[in-house]
Amino acid sequence: MSVSIITLIVLGIAVLGFFLGRQRALSLSASSGKRLHSLPGYYGQMVFLFAAVPALLLMTAWLFMQPILIEGRISANIPDSVIPEGGARSLVMADVRRIAGGLDALIADSGMTETALDQMRADETDVRSQLGNVGVALGSDVPVQVFEAAKEYRASSKTGSLLMSIAVLAVCGLFAAWSLLRISPDQRARNVSEGFVLALLVGASLVAILTTVGIVTSLLFETFHFFKLYPAREFFFSTVWNPQFRGGSELGILPLLWGTLYVSFIALLLAVPVGLMIAIYLAEYASKAMRSVAKPAIEVLAGIPTIVYGLFALITVGPFLRDWLAQPMGLGNSSSSVLTAGLVMGIMLIPFVSSLSDDIINAVPQSMRDGSFGLGATKSETIRQVILPAALPGVVGAVLLAASRAIGETMIVVMGAGAAAKLGLNPFEAMTTVTVKIVSQLTGDTEFASPETLVAFALGLTLFVFTLGLNVLALYIVRKYREQYE
Amino acid sequence: ARDQIQIAGSSTVLPYAAIVAEAFGENFDFPTPVVESGGSGAGRKKLCEGVGENTIDIANSSSRIKQSDIDLCASNGVTEIQEVRIGYDGIVFASDINGATFAFTPADWYNALAAKVVKDGVLVDNMNKTWKDVNPDLPDQDILAFIPGTKHGTREVFDEKVIHAGCEATGAEELYKAAGDEKAKGCNALRTDGASIDIDGDYTETLARIDANKNGIGVFGLSFYQNNTDKLVVATMDGVVPSVETIASGEYPVSRPLYFYVKNAHLGVIPGLQEYIEFFVSDEIAGPDGPLSEYGLVSDPELAATQEAVANRTPMGPLN
Amino acid sequence: MTDATANSTGGTPGRNAGSLFDKDPRTRKRNAAETRFRMMGLAAVIFGVLCLVGLLGSIISNGVSAFSQTFIIVDVFLDPAKLDKDGDRDPDKIAKVTTFGYAPLIATAMEQAMEQANISIEGLGKKDAAELVSKEAPAQLRNYVLNNIDEIGETVRFKVLASGRIDGYYKGRVTMASAELDRNVSPAQLQLADQLKAAGLLSTGFNWQFFTAPDASDTRPEAAGLGVAILGSLYMMIIVLVLALPLGVAASVYLEEFAPQNWLTDAIEVNIANLAAVPSIVFGILGLAIFINMAGLPQSAPIVGGLVLTLMTLPTIIIATRAALKAVPPSIRDAALGVGASKMQSVFHHVLPLAAPGILTGTIIGLAQALGETAPLLLIGMVAFVREFPDGPPDGFFDPASALPVQVYNWTQRGDPAFVERASGAIIVLLIFLVCMNALAIVLRRRFERRW
Amino acid sequence: MNDMSRLERTVGTKNIKMECRDCQVYYGDTHAIKDVNVDIEDKTVTAFIGPSGCGKSTFLRCLNRMNDTISVARVEGQFKLDGEDIYDRRVDPVQLRAKVGMVFQKPNPFPKSIYDNVAYGPRIHGLARNKAELDDIVEQALRRGALWNEVKDRLDAPGTGLSGGQQQRLCIARAVATEPEVLLMDEPCSALDPIATAQVEELIDELRQSYSVVIVTHSMQQAARVSQKTAFFHLGNLVEFGETGQIFTNPVDPRTESYITGRIG
Amino acid sequence: MNDMSRLERTVGTKNIKMECRDCQVYYGDTHAIKDVNVDIEDKTVTAFIGPSGCGKSTFLRCLNRMNDTISVARVEGQFKLDGEDIYDRRVDPVQLRAKVGMVFQKPNPFPKSIYDNVAYGPRIHGLARNKAELDDIVEQALRRGALWNEVKDRLDAPGTGLSGGQQQRLCIARAVATEPEVLLMDEPCSALDPIATAQVEELIDELRQSYSVVIVTHSMQQAARVSQKTAFFHLGNLVEFGETGQIFTNPVDPRTESYITGRIG
Ligand SMILES: Nc1ncnc2c1ncn2[C@@H]1O[C@H](COP(=O)(O)OP(=O)(O)OP(=O)(O)O)[C@@H](O)[C@H]1O
Ligand SMILES: Nc1ncnc2c1ncn2[C@@H]1O[C@H](COP(=O)(O)OP(=O)(O)OP(=O)(O)O)[C@@H](O)[C@H]1O
Ligand SMILES: [Mg+2]
Ligand SMILES: [Mg+2]
Ligand SMILES: O=P([O-])([O-])[O-]
């Protein structure tokens, strides 16, 4: 039985269990005259969960373990002699798996019988061409031992699947029956099912933690390597970023960090006021029709690939700023500049601020507005002094999200601000950011185990810690100014 | 089980690899290989991650593999690697088609872009503003060069074959060495006042920048230039016009070999792998009249040796 | 006290005791401020819309041409001397003839076509004429022959792609002047194209292949399509939607409604906000380490891409959802609890529906971001040249595939300028994709939106 | 106190402050106010009474155009303040509302500190020249709202953390602080205990010296105590309008009579 | 009516339904309820009276653990329902609240239709087997809440579009529909006109036949009319608790006396 069929059967049993459980709860309550503790549906849900969850968990575990166990056993049986020099057992096992799969196809396509297969021998038949005929390509001819291993693999897998089907269905049935029998009117079915949901919710929020753990661990190892090759003091305190191919690079993070902050700052300087004003206008002033058009339209800005923004910065905004601002003011003649990248990125970030804030502003209860209007406040006074403070936590969340995006953005900076790491104040100069350098060092030509490549990991980890600090600060500030309505 | 070839690595080699993969898919019963880009370094790292189905089979590289990569490979059980040189990549200097034309020497480039230049026998900060300042024969045009960022292998070639050569030619190398800089590292220091701009992106970005700054001069691959002759005018180097022929003959100085590296352990396991590499280096494809050459790859004069090595699955020896 | 009130009324500047119709200076000032504020809002909206219109305008003006394509009609004689030297029609032997062997047939066919249509152009050789036809054509021929072996020896009419430059000529990208300078096309070839067009052998039509064909190499921009990329993006978005939305909402509900107020909750909260600031490429590093190296999932597969993008989108959805949940007034929760609803019921019956608009907004923005992201895919091998179509789901989730932003990214890097138009076309498709995806969310959001 | 207010009733000038003619209000299709004509006199307390849902709040909201904020609401008829049509195009509702203040039926303090809640109106109308003056205004308003003693130590605490009655008094204080010419109060004492109610009633009486006050109440006694004029609404109609004494002792309409002689709350 | 309720007062069984001992509530640092001991009898109406802000709502919310939802609130002491500690770890507050229903001081209808507002409780408690039964329950509840006639034609209209008093009655109907054993009502009649008030009082009297009702009110008359027991709170303390008749005619504590003999609202 295939996995999907088993899943379907388990779900079928679970759904059946749902109805039976509900039915049983109802009839028990009717016969005993006791009121049910929970809605009948909850008893059904409970049976459903008991039937489906353990069985599916078991199946997942089995699917995970079975190949490991079988392969362990079979690969131990393959003699070293058939493993080509420089090759690996795991590759031979890949062949085994491919042949085993091919044999299935062979039986399905060419109508070969199981017995014929049993007698088939690799040194007598041309397995490679036979399998080739059914669309399973092999890299080379098949040694006898490998072919036998493949047959055994196939057999074991089959037995394994059979056992699994039985075990899974048994668990499913047993748990379903047990939970069905356990039903009684005072059983707290709702609590059971809600407890289960709560566990799911907890699990979901753990994903975020696991992601962080994953990120930190995947960065930490290589970062460690980097610091073995390159002095940490230099990395953190040097003001020069100048990687070289043949070593001798100067890899100070400060100019990159500065560029990141500068570009993000300019981007937010555009995105936050504009985004907030859009949110306010759409939530408080605009007609329904306008809102329903403008809001999704502006959201499209968030979906335009950043490469388009990059080209826009490179071709339109950069030269424009250079010709109309930088050169007349004598501030330089670079067409890529912090300002270019910041402004264009700001445009991209507008929907992050506007759409999220708009929803939050819209959620402030009407009675707040009434209270303010009743005192003779104008709409703008109401918005600035009552609604925005009430919506502040959400708005701050939106701004933080926008800031986060700004920090993480690559393409716009590459094309708009250039790739030169510089510590400077002039917004018309080219600069670059941490993220850009992570990408470029990681995807470059340099050898992997050199500090020039590994620095990407150190940059990533440093940025991670840095933004963590900023976020802690933000949380602290939001906590302090948080206001709850009603 | 995986049944298509997985290739990763250099974005310089990518177009050639894609041409071959496409033709391979059309003419063989094997599926078309998947060719990732992501940089030579990353490709070699992936190649060396180990042996097995979820590791790649071939790494494209625009520079030669490094000892540290080989060590990494060895430590992950990847002991046999085939090195296949597919040809040469010419590196050209080009500017806007409507602008002036240039005839450069490496010394011009050194004097234009280096941080310090020789003046009256001593090294001084580079104050040259226009190309004319650098060399009276060049047009009176502001110096603005778009050169590959430090992530690119092209930059290495540029540093070595243009800047360093210029350093030597202008006598700056001597001065550096005299000042105690054994390897004349100072030669590679470029000015940071905006006359030289690093491009971390690709040639299309350089082209777009020249579009936005008409007096900029960019560094391109030969094939890229050949596809955009209506927008760019190419400069000569030491009086030689870059072309497939002048590069193959060695007249034009700025070029570099391109490679791919094959994980021998996957030969015979990944269907079509052997066929693919043989197809790649066959005369039909990589020869002087093949599609690769037509697209701008400089065909390797020693292709026959490569073909033989591939047929014999000869693993590469230690780096010399 | 009354007196004090009266005094302060009289004494306060700017207090209007007069007609409603005359505005005192202060009111006028406040009204001006109001108007200014309102205008600022309107200006902001207009600015946003203008940016959008500008960007869309440039994308569309660059990209619409990708949706049409020039074709050439040729009658090719399937020469047995070339295709089946032995004449025994053995499929295996015929299959040995590579596409290189088919190219001369097309050259000959072009020559004959010119003869028949009485076209002769000075300085135009046989090879030059053949260059009008895409390099994709031999493959098309070979496929046809292998499927119709008995037609060898006959003359078959093919509608083949014109080469990129010829196609560009009819889209205004290539002109006679530029052809002078272009080493890939000559004015003579363009003249030939014009004459073929006059003879009805060259035509321009809607480019269905753009949606169905896979990517093509740099030498055949005219054959490059988005088929694999569309499938790959679709698969990834399915995975992202199915995983990120429930996970994100569940996590937010837990954190906002159930989690005890303690340092652990704070840690999770900060942590999620921080994840939003992690550069997307770092998610790629994570994906490579966890999903490919540890879990052993295949390279270049939508499943890995989907998982990585899910992790990347989660913070956005969680932050938006939490903000929306926070905005639901506590009295609603009280009301539900007061009639004996459990916390879970109050959340799922009342709070979540009221927070739905915010949740949907977060989802829209998160998905938009995920749909357009390239950097994380770089490390898990999806930024690749992929020509094989993935299978149908769920098996196809594990097959190599590309994605729309990857295709855009790849095409913008190609040397041949014809790819610029393709890239813009791909962006248009991506945006259409996005709009379709959002339309549903927007409709839902409008249904849930209400003030209380 | 009762006697006193009776006495004063005759003292007030009989200037008409607000004049409403043929007023109609619709909520979508529901006709919530039908043909109402009411004159609100200056320096007078007018009470609106009537069964729940009869349209008192709706009508009250017409008087300072608060219905503008309800999208489904449509108002017709003539409303004049000092002889000027308040629904005239030229009228700025903001200016109107500064003159015609309002206390809402459901207490709706802002999510700000108690101080900021009260200082909000004076700030936007520029009633204080400096911080000291503002402090003074806030204190006076809170005193008049009979809340000062309870909150003087926690002016920085959020207004939303107060008890129901405290919130209601806060809203009264907030409205009083802006010194409107007409004060509309929608059941200002519904959540108040007798003592606080008495204080608010005293405040109303005090306000009447200079302004005009309209109060919606369900308590007949309260109407009788504080108002000089009473309007009785029923199902959207104004059934009877006249001197409070007359309405309570000698109603013309049988509906009025049956309402006020019903059980008394 | 007054006489009647006096009469019935002696009829009720004297079972103790809820027992509260040494109760303390803190909001952060504020000590809002101090050492309160109250027994709530079955089939009895208990009235909580006291000045605004004295802690009536706070104490009421303790009785069905609604204070759990205020993060700064901390409750101490013993609260027993039918002899079982309701703050016990094993107690499911949900089940408790299904038994001890609540009407809040500020009307808080769900932003749903009127029908769904009332049907919500019965739905989650599974009180109706089918649509017809549910319709019936909703109708009965709305009738008992004295709202049926006003809304029967617009059951699908949103509950938030009702007048203040209608919303309050809607919330009463919503609470009644779930048939709690104890019903806590925080000023249920504050926004109601006399007639509606009378109807709600009738309802309370009717509920008393089977359940126990706790009502917070500012109207002494109302307390006297509907309750059998009265508790007087002052500044967080329970000053006096006893038979309503005794409290109103013969209060022991001088504070009680001064409160109930103050001006009557
Ligand atoms: N959420 C809260 N946070 C802080 N303090 C509160 C909160 N709720 C109430 N209080 C304070 O606790 C005290 C008691 O409040 P409670 O709401 O119980 O009064 P009450 O007797 O119901 O008054 P009212 O009749 O005005 O409704 C008041 O001083 C109030 O300010
Ligand atoms: N926003 C609204 N949308 C639709 N109908 C409404 C709205 N507000 C009020 N109504 C209806 O209009 C009528 C009058 O309502 P109004 O609020 O004026 O009554 P009221 O006299 O203030 O009653 P109460 O004393 O209960 O507050 C009622 O039937 C009510 O249901
Ligand atoms: Mg009202
Ligand atoms: Mg209260
Ligand atoms: O991508 P490259 O390694 O060739 O620069």
Side-chain angles (χ1 to χ4, degrees), chain C residues 387-428:
Chain C
R387 271 179 66 87
E388 299 289 332
F389 283 87
D391 286 349
D395 291 349
F397 289 154
F398 296 86
D399 290 343
S402 156
L404 283 170
V406 166
Q407 214 55 270
V408 174
Y409 175 79
N410 272 343
W411 286 349
T412 50
Q413 295 186 340
R414 302 251 172 115
D416 194 317
F419 280 108
V420 173
E421 146 205 313
R422 301 264 147 180
S424 294
I427 293 170
I428 296 176

Side-chain angles (χ1 to χ4, degrees), chain A residues 378-410:
Chain A
T378 62
K379 231 169 172 171
S380 60
E381 285 160 349
T382 306
I383 292 163
R384 277 185 307 211
Q385 303 184 32
V386 177
I387 297 181
L388 278 187
L392 192 70
V395 171
V396 170
V399 172
L400 278 182
L401 197 61
S404 304
R405 271 292 272 168
I407 289 172
E409 179 49 44
T410 328

Side-chain angles (χ1 to χ4, degrees), chain D residues 51-58 60-61 104-106 186-187 216 218, chain E residues 162-166 191:
Chain D
S52 167
C54 66
K56 305 177 297 292
S57 302
T58 303
L60 205 66
R61 291 168 71 101
F104 293 84
Q105 189 166 3
K106 267 203 224 178
D186 202 346
E187 307 196 19
V216 172
H218 283 122
Chain E
L162 291 175
S163 83
Q166 287 167 336

Side-chain angles (χ1 to χ4, degrees), chain A residues 409-429:
Chain A
E409 179 49 44
T410 328
M411 222 54 207
I412 298 178
V413 183
V414 169
M415 300 198 149
K422 218 176 290 176
L423 260 175
L425 279 175
N426 182 353
F428 293 100
E429 265 185 3

Side-chain angles (χ1 to χ4, degrees), chain D residues 211-227:
Chain D
Y211 313 124
S212 122
V213 177
V214 183
I215 171 171
V216 172
T217 177
H218 283 122
S219 161
M220 303 298 151
Q221 288 94 326
Q222 189 174 50
R225 275 197 306 274
V226 300
S227 74

